[in-house]
Amino acid sequence: MSGQPAWVRTLPLLSRTLAVGAGGGALFAWLGTPLPWMLGALIFTSVGAMAGIRMYTPPEFRRVMMAVLGVLLGSAFSPDLTGQIAAWPATLAGMLLYVAVGGGLTMLFFHRVGRLNGPTAFFAAAPGGLSEMMLLGPAMGGNEREITLVHATRIVLVVLILPPAFRYAAGYVPPADLGSGGTIAAMEVYDLAILTAAGVVGLLVGRRLRFPAYQMTGPMLLSAALHVGGLTEARPPYELLAVAQVIIGCGAGARFSGVRWIELARPMLLSIVSTTGFLLLAALFALLLARLIGLDFKAILLAYSPGGFAEMNLIALSLGIEVAFVATHHTARIFLVVTLAAWLSSRIWKRPQAAAHAD
């Protein structure tokens, strides 16, 4: 038994978690909400976890599903993007300023107002890289539980705020097929083989080359190359994307397992304030950049919003808002956050005792 993978040993717990998440996803799909399978799974598992029901999804499942989403994101790249890419350096440069200003102000808020110690405030304030911050923070003397709860709350808040806001304030209607390539039964064997190869090979290469969020960026880059090269125009099937959304939603919600309401109160309040600040700052940057370089305000806002990597790209997919642009900028955001956090923290405090690279 000891040699079995963790997900096999915890199969009953996993089954319960996925059942709760799938039930929430099915309800939200029936209600016609944006991003139904992920939002439903996220809300149901979060509420269940905080009510004392233990929730769990193994990291291996999330890696596989992120690879699926990476392949889908890569399919949004095409030769038509050539003219648009010329404007991206300006928004990528703005991303560096956004991360530095937003992270710096948030760190001061956490330290001065929230009374978090220096390392905890620093790593909790990073607008991204939850897994990496969970490793780097404790190695530098930060409080792992507080860092985790602040980041988990940030991810949940952004996912809960943005899709409904775009749906009801901007009139965006999500596509019924989640931006997929239709049902699996209607796909050609050749296309399925190409997409599978992009996911598997991209995952392995991304891990080998230590890409940020390699589970998604590796498959995304390889899928983009295949689609730009004209080898396929296919996208992953609807059924697989629905499963991917449920697992990613369950994974986010399960982070609240074992957390008592009293423990969650302070980190959640701090995260609500800081996330609101980050979103307002993102809106300000989006407004300025949209006027300066003429790109779509909504696309820039999504590209700068401080949600989880997988979750933010799913929002772009569900709303059909310049997926390639948003995916590229969130890749840059994660890279900047992790690189700057590791570099700055090693000079402010002691060097980390463990490797900083994480899933």
Side-chain angles (χ1 to χ4, degrees), residues 11-21 45 52-56:
L11 190 56
L13 180 58
L14 169 62
S15 300
R16 180 175 66 196
T17 303
L18 294 181
V20 171
T45 52
I53 302 172
R54 191 180 170 203
M55 299 287 175
Y56 172 75

Side-chain angles (χ1 to χ4, degrees), residues 263-274:
E263 292 179 284
L264 188 60
R266 185 174 72 147
M268 180 176 279
L269 180 59
L270 291 175
S271 192
I272 289 172
V273 175
S274 62

Side-chain angles (χ1 to χ4, degrees), residues 65 68-69 71-72 75 176-188 191-193 195-196 234-245:
M65 293 303 108
V68 171
L69 296 177
V71 172
L72 178 61
S75 68
D177 63 356
L178 310 179
S180 70
T183 66
I184 193 168
M187 293 192 68
E188 299 288 339
D191 288 324
L192 281 172
L195 296 180
T196 301
R235 295 185 171 197
Y238 172 87
E239 297 88 348
L240 195 55
L241 292 181
V243 171
Q245 286 195 37

Side-chain angles (χ1 to χ4, degrees), residues 216-252:
M216 186 176 280
T217 52
M220 181 183 74
L221 292 173
L222 183 52
S223 175
L226 294 173
H227 283 83
V228 171
L231 292 179
T232 183
E233 296 180 356
R235 295 185 171 197
Y238 172 87
E239 297 88 348
L240 195 55
L241 292 181
V243 171
Q245 286 195 37
V246 168
I247 290 177
I248 288 173
C250 287

Side-chain angles (χ1 to χ4, degrees), residues 97-98 101 105 276-292 297 300-301 304-305:
L97 183 60
Y98 167 78
V101 172
L105 292 175
T276 302
F278 266 121
L279 286 173
L280 291 174
L281 185 63
L284 176 60
F285 270 77
L287 183 63
L288 292 174
L289 288 167
R291 290 187 175 181
L292 287 173
F297 167 82
I300 303 174
L301 176 60
Y304 276 48
S305 295

Side-chain angles (χ1 to χ4, degrees), residues 42-344:
L42 172 62
I43 291 175
F44 272 51
T45 52
S46 296
V47 172
M50 288 186 284
I53 302 172
R54 191 180 170 203
M55 299 287 175
Y56 172 75
T57 54
E60 295 89 350
F61 275 38
R62 181 177 171 85
R63 290 189 194 110
V64 172
M65 293 303 108
M66 286 183 71
V68 171
L69 296 177
V71 172
L72 178 61
L73 293 174
S75 68
F77 288 76
S78 69
D80 303 347
L81 290 172
T82 307
Q84 303 176 31
I85 290 176
W88 291 10
T91 51
L92 288 170
M95 178 69 73
L96 175 60
L97 183 60
Y98 167 78
V99 167
V101 172
L105 292 175
T106 303
M107 182 185 69
L108 288 175
F109 168 72
F110 284 161
H111 188 53
R112 300 273 180 87
V113 179
R115 301 299 181 186
L116 302 182
N117 67 36
T120 302
F122 179 86
F123 290 103
L130 182 149
S131 298
E132 289 83 357
M133 300 307 109
M134 286 170 57
L135 282 182
L136 277 170
M140 297 292 187
N143 184 306
E144 182 178 2
R145 174 57 68 91
E146 290 183 328
I147 292 170
T148 302
L149 290 178
V150 168
H151 279 288
T153 304
R154 168 181 59 82
I155 291 170
V156 170
L157 283 173
V158 173
V159 172
L160 292 179
I161 291 170
L162 287 182
F166 276 94
R167 171 75 180 273
Y168 300 112
Y172 271 80
V173 178
D177 63 356
L178 310 179
S180 70
T183 66
I184 193 168
M187 293 192 68
E188 299 288 339
V189 174
Y190 166 81
D191 288 324
L192 281 172
I194 286 288
L195 296 180
T196 301
V200 173
V201 176
L203 182 67
L204 295 175
V205 171
R207 182 174 184 178
R208 181 74 174 177
L209 298 180
R210 293 181 175 270
F211 289 166
Y214 72 87
Q215 309 97 317
M216 186 176 280
T217 52
M220 181 183 74
L221 292 173
L222 183 52
S223 175
L226 294 173
H227 283 83
V228 171
L231 292 179
T232 183
E233 296 180 356
R235 295 185 171 197
Y238 172 87
E239 297 88 348
L240 195 55
L241 292 181
V243 171
Q245 286 195 37
V246 168
I247 290 177
I248 288 173
C250 287
R255 291 194 178 103
F256 294 103
S257 285
V259 179
R260 295 178 299 171
W261 284 99
I262 191 67
E263 292 179 284
L264 188 60
R266 185 174 72 147
M268 180 176 279
L269 180 59
L270 291 175
S271 192
I272 289 172
V273 175
S274 62
T275 301
T276 302
F278 266 121
L279 286 173
L280 291 174
L281 185 63
L284 176 60
F285 270 77
L287 183 63
L288 292 174
L289 288 167
R291 290 187 175 181
L292 287 173
I293 60 181
L295 291 179
D296 182 28
F297 167 82
K298 295 178 289 296
I300 303 174
L301 176 60
L302 270 184
Y304 276 48
S305 295
F309 185 85
E311 291 81 3
M312 291 308 305
N313 286 304
L314 271 172
I315 291 173
L317 280 167
S318 73
L319 299 175
I321 298 178
E322 300 193 35
V323 176
F325 176 84
V326 174
T328 300
H329 284 69
H330 279 290
T331 302
R333 174 176 63 90
I334 298 299
F335 177 79
L336 283 171
V337 167
V338 174
T339 302
L340 287 174
W343 181 74
L344 287 173

